[in-house]
Every structure is written in structure tokens, then in C-alpha cells.
Amino acid sequence: MALTVLCISFTLFLLLGVPVAFSIALSCLATYWVEGFPLELAFQNMISGMNVFSFLAIPFFVFSGELMLHGGIADKIVNFARNMVGHWRGGLGMANVVACTLFGGVSGSPVADVSAMGGVMIPMMKKEGYSADYAVNVTTHASLAGALMPTSHNLIIYAYAASGTAGVLAGPNIMVKGVSIGDLMFAGLLPCIVLMVCMLFAAWWVAKREGFPIRPDGSHSDHLDKFAGWHAVAVACVAALPGMLVVAIILGFIIMGVATATEAAGIAVTYSLLLTFIGYRTMNWSKLVKAAAKAAKTTGVVLLLIGVSTMFQYIMAILEIPDKTAELLLGATTNPLIMFLLINLILFLLGTFMDMASTILICTPLFLPLALQMGMGPVQFGMVMLLNCALGLNTPPVGTTQFVGCAIGNVSVEQVMKTILPFYGALFAVMAVVTYFPAFSTWLPSLLKGMPVY
């Protein structure tokens, strides 16, 4: 009865257009009431879920990204990327891919990445002869790397969701344990490189097939313009490097054991303030207030989701929903390869209807024990989860990054979807690599664990 109430009420609230966080909260309260639990317990769960020290990293990472976004680092990264690869056919699209990947490491947010890079690159690409749908697809898909970067607050959300399954048996002698935030930060680097390479190929192939770019004089040369030279590349790199160093600072402090992930996030904010106010001198008080307001809003939304998901996870544990989900999927297949494919499909479909944080918080307790039972570690599963959720950000009906990109490019979602397959193909290739080749996620964290700490 309680499970029926939970599922039906949650679905009904979503269909009525109630925001996901409130849909979770209201469906949980209805289930608590049906089960006879005191409602005070629901709010206690909610408060305890948000009252976690490591969550201080979330506002720090978000604020650091907003400071970089409003501090003008995007223009410097674009200039660097264009000087490197902008002289080839499809070069502006390839430069877009490189710029989005680099800025994703700074902002840690696909939506912020699209907003910053799209605002610069999409109008520029349209002006130089690229179609609007191509410009939007390149930008929105390349920006998904921000979900895997060390500055991504979604890594912290996943670490929390995974720790919520601690003590749950996932099979004979297999115990679900928490996952290190530091391990997740390093695990995302190699998949990000693979994603960038696949997106570079997709951008080049589509540009080659469609005859992009077309010069203003109407010619179809394989070169957009002459290579600016390595000196220009070096100058642009030096200008952009201080902004991109925020990733190296975070990872460096964690490797050396100087700071935890939370403390490193605080250091990143301090560095961002010094860089934008004193280094680049592009920050003013008006921009600072806007950055702080946006960071506060994002943090509030994320913490609300975490709080209500704690209520949801309590109900799932009481009703043994993870065990029932595992039994259902194991009844369909016991082949790990097919099981991972099913998990990917389910996560992708759910990600098209819910935002990233909601999908992580709800689905991690459901599928992590099953993935462990099938031989997939928690770090690798985290990368699979984040990739699926990121892909959902670029797929209607939610498709936040896609809607932002379409608004900037002044093109309809329907038009963009008609030419999206090559870019989807690149993303699905990355998904297959991360899912079926564990080393792409686990090699770097395991290597660094063997390094001495100074």
C-alpha cells in the first residue's frame, strides 16, 4: 500500500507540473502518513540529511564557478582554443569543444558552461557560416564535461547518495561502502578527455559532411584562416592559464594531503576572488553580488533536494525498494553486460524527466548495490551515473542545457534534434567505454593512492 501511494503520488505531482523537490517531499509526507509514521520524523530526516560537513563544498564550488563565469575567463579560454584549432575545417566547432571542456573544469556546471561558452561561441559560429543547429549541438554536448570535472558539485551529491547505502548488502560478502570525493574527482579526468576527443571527431565529421565552414567570400577551403602561430597560442595560453589553474589547485591540495575536498573548495573560492579582482581586474561589486546571488540560489535548490531525498531514502529502506528493484532486474538477466545496459537505459530515461541532482539522489541507492553485485565499483558507477544524468540534461522534455543553447542560438529544439545523432553517437561511445572498461574511471585514482603524500 505504502509503495503504491509513494509511486502514484510522486508521478501525479510531476504530471501536475510540481517541481521535483516538492514532488518528492509531498509524496514522502503522504507515505509517512499512510504508514502511521510521525510527520516530525520526516522533517528530522530532512534536517539531518542537509547537516553534513562535506556539503560545505557545494556552495564553495558553485560560488567559485560563478566568480569565473562573471570574471571574464570564458573569453580568454575561447581565444586560446581558437588559436589552437580554429584554422581547420570545422575548426571553430572544434575550438568550441576544447573551450567548453576547459571552462567545464572551471565552472563544474554544464548549464553554466553553455551559458558562458554559448553566449560567445554560438553567435560567432553563426556569423562565420555555421548552421545554428550545429553550433548549438556542439556547445551543449561538449559542455557536459562540466558534470565530470573536479569542480562539479554533482560529484559531492553522488558521494553523499552512495554513502547513504553504506551497510547495505549487495550480494554475498559484498558490502556497499561510501566513496571518496577525492577518488571521484580524479576518476572524472580520463572520461573527460575521452569525451572531448569523441566530440572533436563528431564536430569535424559533421563539418566535413556539411561543408563547414563557408568563408564570407563563399569559398569552401579546408582552412578557415591561417594558423596564428605557436607564439599566439602561447600568449593566449598564458592569458587563460590562471583561470584554468583552479582545477590543478583543487587536485594538488588533495594529492598532497594539505586539504580535504571541502577545504580545497574554499581555497578555490579565495583563489577565484583574488584572480578576478586583482589578477584579471574584471570583477566589480555589481558582478560579485550577481555571482553570490546565483550561487545562493543554486545551493538552496541543491540542499532542498538533498533534504527531501533523505526522506525518500528512508522510505526506500523501510519498504526494501532497492532489494525489490534488484530482484526485478535479476529476474530479467544475470549477465553483467546486459545488466549494465539496462541500468544505463533506465538512468538515461529517468534523466530526461528529472534534473541531474534529483536523478542522482533517487537512483544511486536503487542501482549502486546491484552494480556492485555485477562487479562494477562505486567510483566507476559514479561516472556512469553522472554521464547518464548529463546526457539527460541535453534531451527533452527537461533538457536544461539544450533549452539554454537553443535560446542563445535562436533555434527551435525540434530543429536541433534533427541533427543531433552524430553528437549522441559520440556521447554513447563514451558511455560504452566508461561502462565496460573500468580502467578509464579507476586507473587514475588507484595510481594516485600509491603515491607518497608529502
Side-chain angles (χ1 to χ4, degrees):
M1 177 63 180
L3 181 58
T4 302
V5 171
L6 179 66
C7 294
I8 292 178
S9 60
F10 180 61
T11 304
L12 180 62
F13 286 128
L14 286 179
L15 292 175
L16 290 174
V18 178
V20 174
F22 293 101
S23 297
I24 296 173
L26 293 172
S27 60
C28 287
L29 289 174
T31 309
Y32 273 65
W33 179 74
V34 168
E35 284 291 284
F37 297 147
L39 295 183
E40 292 84 355
L41 178 61
F43 295 105
Q44 288 175 358
N45 288 335
M46 184 175 177
I47 297 300
S48 65
M50 293 186 289
N51 189 23
V52 179
F53 174 76
S54 60
F55 287 165
L56 283 174
I58 294 176
F60 287 145
F61 277 139
V62 173
F63 189 35
S64 175
E66 291 294 331
L67 288 170
M68 291 295 190
L69 176 62
H70 290 82
I73 182 62
D75 294 335
K76 294 175 176 59
I77 290 177
V78 167
N79 188 43
F80 170 52
R82 191 173 187 189
N83 278 325
M84 276 202 307
V85 296
H87 56 291
W88 296 107
R89 178 181 291 279
L92 202 52
M94 296 167 70
N96 196 347
V97 172
V98 175
C100 284
T101 303
L102 294 176
F103 191 76
V106 174
S107 67
S109 167
V111 178
D113 203 348
V114 170
S115 301
M117 291 294 112
V120 176
M121 294 299 294
I122 293 176
M124 185 187 300
M125 292 176 71
K126 290 173 64 179
K127 181 180 179 181
E128 297 196 5
Y130 294 82
S131 65
D133 54 292
Y134 174 81
V136 170
N137 273 322
V138 169
T139 307
T140 55
H141 285 81
S143 69
L144 301 183
L148 303 176
M149 285 294 190
T151 51
S152 173
H153 64 272
N154 289 296
L155 292 175
I156 301 166
I157 295 174
Y158 169 75
Y160 162 74
S163 68
T165 63
V168 178
L169 286 173
N173 302 320
I174 301 176
M175 184 73 74
V176 178
K177 298 180 181 179
V179 56
S180 165
I181 295 176
D183 285 350
L184 290 171
M185 288 180 174
F186 287 104
L189 295 178
L190 211 53
C192 276
I193 294 174
V194 176
L195 177 60
M196 184 180 72
V197 171
C198 290
M199 286 305 305
L200 282 171
F201 177 79
W204 171 83
W205 184 79
V206 174
K208 189 77 172 178
R209 184 189 65 183
E210 299 295 331
F212 297 139
I214 302 173
R215 287 191 181 189
D217 60 7
S219 64
H220 290 254
S221 171
D222 278 344
H223 296 272
L224 175 62
D225 46 38
K226 291 183 178 180
F227 179 46
W230 290 111
H231 176 72
V233 172
V235 171
C237 179
V238 170
L241 188 60
M244 297 185 291
L245 276 178
V246 67
V247 176
I249 290 172
I250 292 170
L251 297 179
F253 277 117
I254 292 175
I255 289 176
M256 293 185 294
V258 175
T260 64
T262 303
E263 293 161 347
I267 293 170
V269 171
T270 304
Y271 176 79
S272 300
L273 285 169
L274 292 174
L275 178 64
T276 53
F277 268 109
I278 300 175
Y280 289 144
R281 297 185 179 180
T282 52
M283 182 64 69
N284 54 42
W285 289 109
S286 176
K287 292 180 179 179
L288 179 62
V289 170
K290 290 180 181 179
K294 184 64 185 298
K297 180 181 178 181
T298 302
T299 302
V301 171
V302 171
L303 288 180
L304 177 61
L305 278 168
I306 290 173
V308 298
S309 72
T310 306
M311 300 162 53
F312 195 76
Q313 290 172 6
Y314 179 82
I315 293 175
M316 285 197 295
I318 294 295
L319 301 180
E320 299 180 341
I321 294 177
D323 294 335
K324 295 175 181 177
T325 303
E327 290 176 8
L328 180 64
L329 290 177
L330 288 171
T333 180
T334 55
N335 187 318
L337 299 180
I338 298 176
M339 182 64 73
F340 295 152
L341 177 62
L342 288 175
I343 292 175
N344 273 319
L345 288 174
I346 294 171
L347 291 175
F348 167 67
L349 290 173
L350 290 175
T352 63
F353 290 95
M354 296 190 295
D355 61 81
M356 196 166 186
S358 302
T359 307
I360 293 170
L361 290 166
I362 292 174
C363 294
T364 299
L366 288 176
F367 297 113
L368 177 56
L370 182 60
L372 286 169
Q373 190 172 344
M374 292 288 105
M376 181 182 288
V379 172
Q380 182 188 1
F381 181 76
M383 295 301 104
V384 171
M385 169 71 75
L386 290 170
L387 271 172
N388 276 292
C389 293
L391 185 56
L393 288 177
N394 214 31
T395 308
V398 176
T400 309
T401 58
Q402 191 178 67
F403 287 129
V404 172
C406 289
I408 295 172
N410 194 26
V411 61
S412 68
V413 174
E414 291 79 12
Q415 181 63 34
V416 169
M417 291 299 293
K418 291 177 182 178
T419 57
I420 205 171
L421 285 181
F423 304 97
Y424 261 12
L427 282 174
F428 285 130
V430 177
M431 189 78 69
V433 167
V434 174
T435 301
Y436 295 109
F437 297 92
F440 280 93
S441 304
T442 59
W443 174 73
L444 193 54
S446 62
L447 177 68
L448 292 171
K449 281 184 178 180
M451 294 178 60
V453 177
Y454 299 99

